[in-house]
Amino acid sequence: MIRVPTEPAGRLSDAWRLCVGTGRAELALRRDHQDSLALLQREIGFRYIRGHGLLSDGMGVHRPYTWQGARHVHHSFTYVDQVVDAYLERGIRPFLELGFMPEGLASGRQTVFWWRGNVTPPRETNEWTALVRATLTHLVDRYGADEVRTWPIEVWNEPDLPGFWENADEAAYHRLYEATAHAVKEVDAGLQVGGPAVSPGADGWLERFAEFAERRDVPVDFVSRHAYTSGRAQHVPFGVHQTLAPAGDLLDQFAAPHRELKGTRLAGLPVHITEFNSSYRPDNPVHDTAFHAAYLAPVVTAGGDHADSFSYWTFSDVFEETGVPTAPFHGGFGLLTHRQIKKPTYHLYAFMARMGQERLAHGGDHLVTRHADGRVTVLAWAPVDPSGLTPGPERHALRLSVPVGTRPAGEVFVRRSTVDEEHGNAYAAWRHMGSPRSPEPAQLDVLREAAEPSRGHRRLPVEDGRVDLALTLARHEVTLVELTPLEDETPPWWDERRLLGRETP
Amino acid sequence: MIRVPTEPAGRLSDAWRLCVGTGRAELALRRDHQDSLALLQREIGFRYIRGHGLLSDGMGVHRPYTWQGARHVHHSFTYVDQVVDAYLERGIRPFLELGFMPEGLASGRQTVFWWRGNVTPPRETNEWTALVRATLTHLVDRYGADEVRTWPIEVWNEPDLPGFWENADEAAYHRLYEATAHAVKEVDAGLQVGGPAVSPGADGWLERFAEFAERRDVPVDFVSRHAYTSGRAQHVPFGVHQTLAPAGDLLDQFAAPHRELKGTRLAGLPVHITEFNSSYRPDNPVHDTAFHAAYLAPVVTAGGDHADSFSYWTFSDVFEETGVPTAPFHGGFGLLTHRQIKKPTYHLYAFMARMGQERLAHGGDHLVTRHADGRVTVLAWAPVDPSGLTPGPERHALRLSVPVGTRPAGEVFVRRSTVDEEHGNAYAAWRHMGSPRSPEPAQLDVLREAAEPSRGHRRLPVEDGRVDLALTLARHEVTLVELTPLEDETPPWWDERRLLGRETP
Amino acid sequence: MIRVPTEPAGRLSDAWRLCVGTGRAELALRRDHQDSLALLQREIGFRYIRGHGLLSDGMGVHRPYTWQGARHVHHSFTYVDQVVDAYLERGIRPFLELGFMPEGLASGRQTVFWWRGNVTPPRETNEWTALVRATLTHLVDRYGADEVRTWPIEVWNEPDLPGFWENADEAAYHRLYEATAHAVKEVDAGLQVGGPAVSPGADGWLERFAEFAERRDVPVDFVSRHAYTSGRAQHVPFGVHQTLAPAGDLLDQFAAPHRELKGTRLAGLPVHITEFNSSYRPDNPVHDTAFHAAYLAPVVTAGGDHADSFSYWTFSDVFEETGVPTAPFHGGFGLLTHRQIKKPTYHLYAFMARMGQERLAHGGDHLVTRHADGRVTVLAWAPVDPSGLTPGPERHALRLSVPVGTRPAGEVFVRRSTVDEEHGNAYAAWRHMGSPRSPEPAQLDVLREAAEPSRGHRRLPVEDGRVDLALTLARHEVTLVELTPLEDETPPWWDERRLLGRETP
Amino acid sequence: MIRVPTEPAGRLSDAWRLCVGTGRAELALRRDHQDSLALLQREIGFRYIRGHGLLSDGMGVHRPYTWQGARHVHHSFTYVDQVVDAYLERGIRPFLELGFMPEGLASGRQTVFWWRGNVTPPRETNEWTALVRATLTHLVDRYGADEVRTWPIEVWNEPDLPGFWENADEAAYHRLYEATAHAVKEVDAGLQVGGPAVSPGADGWLERFAEFAERRDVPVDFVSRHAYTSGRAQHVPFGVHQTLAPAGDLLDQFAAPHRELKGTRLAGLPVHITEFNSSYRPDNPVHDTAFHAAYLAPVVTAGGDHADSFSYWTFSDVFEETGVPTAPFHGGFGLLTHRQIKKPTYHLYAFMARMGQERLAHGGDHLVTRHADGRVTVLAWAPVDPSGLTPGPERHALRLSVPVGTRPAGEVFVRRSTVDEEHGNAYAAWRHMGSPRSPEPAQLDVLREAAEPSRGHRRLPVEDGRVDLALTLARHEVTLVELTPLEDETPPWWDERRLLGRETP
């Protein structure tokens, strides 16, 4: 039995909910996206949202035209306003990513993704910085400087990959960063700019980014990188399979910037892991499973020890990087499928959102917290084999001695919510249904219902101010146990045995 | 094993959902009432709703005034309109009950209930019939004759009880009925009028009502009575306990009018059981329990064999006959508590609403139906000891061979929803919480969640066009099992064993 | 022409929106009440809401019972919670009024209103103070002490009138106040208690209340009284007519407590006019008219100079003190009728809610304010003859020189919203319709539409930083004019004359 | 004075509301689109909706893949389902247009529009017909054959224009039509297929289509074409100006198919004008004006005399054929702008939706109808100069003698709703505001308010069963006048002169 201390070891950081990812910017105009975001914010409550394509042509910002024989550029914010308004209405702020390149400003034709984001440098740096300045000036005008100063501004995405930045040209990225960062600060010195938003494999990029920033005296307010643990993609039609490294590798990646930047001018800056997940593929079925929630539980609970944020990539399957999905479960990144069916990993986050602010205990299979009002919350998870070669153990036992307030005796109300291979698992229900590609509305209702965790409730006795909590977890289970000290208000005249059908002792 | 026939034994009658009860008319102005009704109609879908007090002063219809020295009566429909509009907007129609007596027209001061419905005859029959005519004329003007002709009109409530009709004066009731029925028909001969809405103990009232109607040639379009099975009330503060007769007694009461009216002019008329429940007390905790759902399951499934409707009294705890409730669970009649927490009996009805129209089998612990699209639905329930002296059996086994469509082989998707002592049982959760009298909003959320049935899903094989369905029911369980033949759309390249964490054979 | 100063004369006080009245407490359970309150708060935004009957039997708080042979009292908050939750959900807080007397605690049988509030002193003072303590303890437990300390607590209502307090017994009121105030402070010393909530005709009550409070050292945190200007009621069926004193009389009544309490220990306490209106009758048609808005405009704009709050009695016609209304327009107090038709006086308040915080000018027919963002808002109203013997002038001219920001030239966007005998006047439309007592849904839509102010928009030039604003007001008009300095973003290539159908100069 | 006949000249056809246009199919996934559609259906109620791009890659239907070395095509309906579900939930059905060409099936690379619809013939006719069959089979499976048989299916769009069909190759279109029509009928012989969806300038295409259909015995269930009246585009940045032909030209185009097909096998088939508008450009400001509503009034009121439907192109500015709009008013086709600001032409349709079914009179400036319940509705409009060189007359007078029911005397309630240069004209308000490109939320509210028609109400006397209705219309006004016979329910004791402020005669 693990004895949970009475005194907290510290606060549970909010890093896990600081940011979440989304597909390209204009997808936020979709109803499904907005409804999903509303649900997410109601039940989880992320602080920021980050996605690609703010400056791509789908957003219609950069608009060259000819007038009286000369070329001009108009900056238009019709969709930018609609997207940002939609975010703010749902209580989430943009984590701005400046990219990709508008066609009318691009120096080349290389694109990324099914939706063709242009990934070449600007043909004219001045026109790019004018675009950046106009965009930020507009945002400051519309939303106020105090507000926009809280929105991190990241320059480009994964410039170390040739698919995302032509030739992965590091010097060109440094030039882009320098021009962009100065343009941002010209608008308002209080705006926060950062980068380099590199992928997990970007050897030495952070160190060289620090050296460049120092050498050229370029503003950097935060540093960012991404983290994934998947191996080589084995393709099947409309999907891939991959092996995964152990989840601890993610924590290692989260911690890397602090390690790598030690001693540089960038040491001590906020570190944002602006994307993370197991697989970097939006068509890997692992994302849909209970295994995935149990695999990520140690990462989500501990990530805040290593970075200032780590942004789950992405909150919804409304995404489209590899095209339109061909089935409701297709291995998308989303915590939610199209039409808002919750995946097990959604619940890992929803459970985290119910944890208290005081961290009482944290182990390899559990996290215990306390709320200001005395409620104690336990998140526990079953161990997994990340290689996937073997399933996790069929049963996993955990026993905690939990301190619950100052009164030595009494009882607590215990509510347990569970996600595993059978519960809170719409993917499993969908497989039982025959994997329908176009579910009927009635089937969608069944799936949404199957996606809810199983719930149980009971009372447990308090002895010496503690509850003896014995938990048995099923395979790949993630479970939330909430203990609330109770006052029994049963009136003196009540005799439960007089209820019809009650057992009489 | 019970072999369910392939050919239906008939249609499942809609009598169970024809009508439901409500508290006094103006309670329909409350938001909780309207929200509860909306929920009820979305998930169950009753056809009519019946309650007391349409003509009581709380509705403000009968309004005497003096003008130029003379007494006049104005008929005002401000609240009648608001109530009926609220019903129709939610897809339910009024089953009109004409009563109680406006103070300004009453011959005495006797009242019933905490809200003081006057139960004395009219001082002036002409003024009463003018009131009836004005009310129905207004309804016909506002909603159309075609619509109002579908609304049954019942004269008074339980005139055989001295608490509801001064001295239980049978001759006075006959006079009231006669005047009223003629007034109704004067407005429109197509309106349906009926009575005598007697209580279970009304010996001989139906026969004498038939004799009176024949003798005086009075219009009667339907006959009505009530049915309850509870014994003497044993009082505790704010509540009572009672013993119950076996549920079969209710079916017997449903069948009584047909039996008693045989050979009279009223034989063959529609019979409406305009109120039924186990206990007739709105403060008997039995209404809140899983026992209650299991107790009533044989009644709700079979009642349509005996009467044209049997109206559960009532759909909501927004009620007030004995005053304002002192706790969320207080033994109210409601299928729903205040603020819409579902009770187990709610689910019995919600399960009925998912049954098909073809009745394949019906036994002491099960009902099997088929939908037009081939889905087969099984409702099963555990036996109870109605005396309440012993609890029902801890486990109850049932095994059915269910025909599922024309294809000899294949699989069905099976979804099971369960309510018992632990699941779909907010009352049990509330007891675990310490019976809070004023639950916090967060506690209400927990209760609403605890009120949802547990759900499971799996696949079963079809052999020779049949599924072998073995069910084990827990104590006081009511369960719904839905079997849907499935097409497996899994693509040929899919290999579930490649999913990480899957068992490899 | 009136030259509005550039520098503000002070801030526009929030006293006008600090509080608003409502019918008895449990009416807040009605959907119409809640929907009306939601509308009110969206468009106006009052801070507190005050009504009668918190402790009357309709709320079910005081519940005597017998157990083991002895009398006990249970305190139940089922409806109190629902009512207060409903308020807070809509962003308004309760201004608590402690009264009337529960039947089980009353010393007599005298009641007030159609709904029969008992107005006799408590039979047992201890049982009354136990009720008060239990109620406030519950509220503090549920909503937190910090919250409840912001809710003023007023003891009883209009004890100077024999209809509201048996025999208008002043000594008995002082005893009630003393016991109650101490009970309140026992729960939490930070709770604010006050009185004596007297009617306009209560000669000397305030002075004697001050003397009593000093003599007995009784806590008083605020003083309260009511204000009305109507004369004798001339009855017709379901209504009355009355003459009115000039609106200035209301301001005089608002100012009276400060005047009367000068030199007493209560001098300097907050003064709350916890009810005001023209007529004190809920069936005087004046409440429904444009005349009424124009009559009250000088009061609502200036009242904050005289008292800390003045609470319009009441926000909705969902009321019932004289019974159920017999027509949508029946002279009710409400800013809104049943089913949310806005009356002209609603718009007076909605216009106030659009005023800025800096008060630039205030005259007999206008109020000019400026917002923090530079917008200037003008509220203007036509003079009325309060005797009602003559209509107000057919046209009333007003010309203002309005300062609009720092730029000397340019243009402002001007938006004008108007309510008068023809516009924003659902009562007039209803009269044109033939005064339907039971409007059809389609008629309700027409009435809601007719209730909206007429709106106009134009541009005006700025010269020397000022706009020359010439307004002509129709009879009984209240108008809001909003001036917004504009940036013209018309692109250089735009030529409005090329639009088809445009006049070409 | 025009004497409107008492007997109807016939029924007002529903052709005007049979269909409405929309942007490319996947725009229906947007929230703005769905909210706009919901508003449209609530206030107007079109029957069908037609747009391009059902089979384009944005919908993700045609999905080639390689498996075990061979090329296969998967047909995926993820978005088709979401789009059609969204339509049906809002009470509108799809008018299917089959096109454009999926990239993976296209024979060339030519595209149309900013969003790049491929307009080349299929590389493989078999793969095209497989796609058509799969799509329709899926729709029939999901929505039922009875439902889908009511959805017209049109083959391609404007094949007579080289921009929409490579080389405007007529023979190739005939081949496409033939293969497609047979594929449709293979799925279900009851499905309705038609074409050729030609543009206004398609000389001889209809005749040759008829001849081809007869020669090859190809199924044709309806014929379709488009109608526009604009001349050459004069470009400015982000917009064009054009002259217009008189509105009567549109009626002439509506009538053309009947004329041109006389004597062919296609004579007598339903004729659908599957697109019409003044200008065919989505960036012509004429679409935003009051002029436009007055210009189209004679077309919308009379079009049903000439064709079975004429579909306004389009209901919303959520469109994107020329890119993302740069301002809320940008000359888009929409009846509604982005974010649901109503344009004057929206109201022309909303007024039509309030007309009765009996057509009493129809002239050059008015249409008079009667409802089943006796209400009479008059739509009137001011004349315009379609050349745009001169504005319409400043005042236009119209006087009608309107029959209103059988009673010779009495009164009618008259409600008038007006749209003109100043009222119901958000474009004018937006110009007054300075043409803000990114309106603030508060400005959007002002615009939505300014977009509502002005409303007035009064009573008029009935003499000899007729009302003398004298109307004066402002420049470019469209007005709806609704006359409702009234019953005066004013009670006998009511004396309006006793209301304060009333004129006393």
Side-chain angles (χ1 to χ4, degrees), chain C residues 234 236-238 241-242 244 285-286 289 291 386-391 413 415 421-422 425 427-429 431-437 446 449-450 455 457-459 475-476 486-490 493-494 496 498-504, chain D residues 234 236-238 241-242 244 285-286 289 291 386-391 413 415 421-422 425 427-429 431-437 446 449-450 455 457-459 475-476 486-490 493-494 496 498-504:
Chain C
Q234 305 149 44
V236 295
F238 309 109
H241 293 284
Q242 291 164 296
L244 300 182
V286 74
T289 63
F291 166 90
S387 78
L389 295 181
T390 64
F413 175 66
R415 176 191 183 212
E421 290 294 331
E422 289 188 17
N425 196 324
Y427 175 77
R431 292 285 297 146
H432 283 314
M433 276 179 179
S435 308
R437 291 193 298 241
V446 172
E449 200 180 84
R455 313 279 188 178
H457 39 79
R458 54 180 166 145
R459 279 198 203 189
R475 177 171 296 151
H476 301 156
L486 67 83
E487 298 287 337
D488 200 321
E489 299 187 25
T490 306
W493 58 77
W494 185 256
E496 185 83 8
R498 296 184 69 182
L499 258 188
L500 301 190
R502 280 296 177 273
E503 287 180 271
T504 42
Chain D
Q234 306 149 45
V236 294
F238 308 109
H241 293 284
Q242 292 165 296
L244 301 182
V286 75
T289 64
F291 166 89
S387 79
L389 294 181
T390 64
F413 174 67
R415 176 190 184 213
E421 290 295 331
E422 289 188 16
N425 196 325
Y427 174 76
R431 292 286 295 146
H432 282 313
M433 277 179 179
S435 307
R437 292 192 298 241
V446 172
E449 199 180 84
R455 312 281 188 177
H457 39 80
R458 53 181 168 146
R459 278 197 203 191
R475 177 171 297 150
H476 301 156
L486 66 84
E487 297 288 338
D488 201 321
E489 299 187 26
T490 305
W493 58 76
W494 186 254
E496 185 82 7
R498 296 184 68 180
L499 257 188
L500 300 190
R502 281 296 178 274
E503 288 180 90
T504 41

Side-chain angles (χ1 to χ4, degrees), chain A residues 217-465:
Chain A
D217 194 24
V218 176
V220 180
D221 297 307
F222 64 87
V223 292
S224 63
R225 64 158 283 167
H226 299 168
Y228 291 97
T229 48
S230 51
R232 198 178 52 80
Q234 306 150 43
H235 289 272
V236 294
F238 309 109
V240 303
H241 293 285
Q242 291 165 296
T243 55
L244 300 182
D249 270 31
L250 281 169
L251 296 176
D252 213 52
Q253 295 182 48
F254 293 1
H258 277 307
R259 207 164 53 228
E260 296 169 359
L261 295 172
K262 197 170 290 177
T264 75
R265 200 179 69 166
L266 305 190
L269 286 185
V271 169
H272 294 301
I273 308 302
T274 48
E275 290 181 19
F276 93 97
N277 208 316
S278 54
S279 159
Y280 59 80
R281 292 282 314 187
D283 52 2
N284 183 333
V286 75
H287 294 127
D288 301 334
T289 63
F291 166 89
H292 199 250
Y295 172 82
L296 284 184
V299 176
V300 174
T301 50
D305 296 340
H306 305 286
D308 294 276
S309 76
F310 44 105
S311 178
Y312 189 80
W313 186 254
T314 62
F315 87 96
S316 166
D317 280 351
V318 175
F319 192 69
E320 292 195 348
E321 284 186 358
T322 57
V324 180
T326 59
F329 288 96
H330 57 270
F333 289 123
L335 297 172
L336 294 163
T337 70
H338 280 246
R339 300 191 177 203
Q340 294 111 52
I341 299 163
K342 299 170 185 173
K343 300 185 190 173
T345 307
Y346 176 94
H347 293 298
L348 170 61
Y349 275 95
F351 291 168
M352 282 297 288
R354 298 186 67 89
M355 301 301 281
Q357 292 179 318
E358 295 180 357
R359 186 155 59 161
L360 296 181
H362 193 175
D365 56 2
H366 67 278
L367 171 66
V368 184
T369 63
R370 188 163 54 204
H371 287 261
D373 63 5
R375 281 176 299 128
V376 174
T377 323
V378 176
L379 184 72
W381 54 92
V384 304
D385 169 0
S387 80
L389 294 181
T390 65
E394 202 169 335
R395 290 283 173 271
H396 175 74
L398 171 66
R399 190 163 166 205
L400 300 168
S401 163
V402 182
V404 286
T406 54
R407 285 178 312 169
E411 288 178 303
V412 292
F413 175 66
V414 180
R415 176 191 184 211
R416 180 170 175 183
S417 307
T418 283
V419 169
D420 62 21
E421 290 295 330
E422 288 188 18
H423 303 99
N425 197 325
Y427 174 77
W430 178 73
R431 292 286 296 146
H432 282 315
M433 277 179 178
S435 307
R437 292 192 298 240
S438 285
E440 303 283 331
Q443 289 179 307
L444 289 170
D445 286 343
V446 172
L447 290 171
R448 284 196 199 97
E449 200 180 85
E452 288 302 313
S454 76
R455 314 279 188 178
H457 40 80
R458 55 181 165 144
R459 278 198 204 189
L460 284 178
V462 179
E463 283 178 38
D464 295 332

Side-chain angles (χ1 to χ4, degrees), chain A residues 234 237 388 391 415 427 431-432 434-435 437 449 455 459 475 486 489-490 493-494 496 498-499 501 503, chain B residues 234 237 388 391 415 427 431-432 434-435 437 449 455 459 475 486 489-490 493 496 498-499 501 503:
Chain A
Q234 306 150 43
R415 176 191 184 211
Y427 174 77
R431 292 286 296 146
H432 282 315
S435 307
R437 292 192 298 240
E449 200 180 85
R455 314 279 188 178
R459 278 198 204 189
R475 177 171 297 150
L486 66 83
E489 300 186 25
T490 306
W493 58 77
W494 184 256
E496 184 84 8
R498 296 184 68 182
L499 258 188
E503 286 180 271
Chain B
Q234 305 150 44
R415 176 192 184 211
Y427 174 78
R431 292 287 296 147
H432 282 314
S435 307
R437 292 192 298 241
E449 199 181 85
R455 315 278 188 178
R459 280 197 201 190
R475 177 171 296 151
L486 66 83
E489 299 187 27
T490 305
W493 58 77
E496 185 84 7
R498 296 184 68 182
L499 256 188
E503 289 181 89

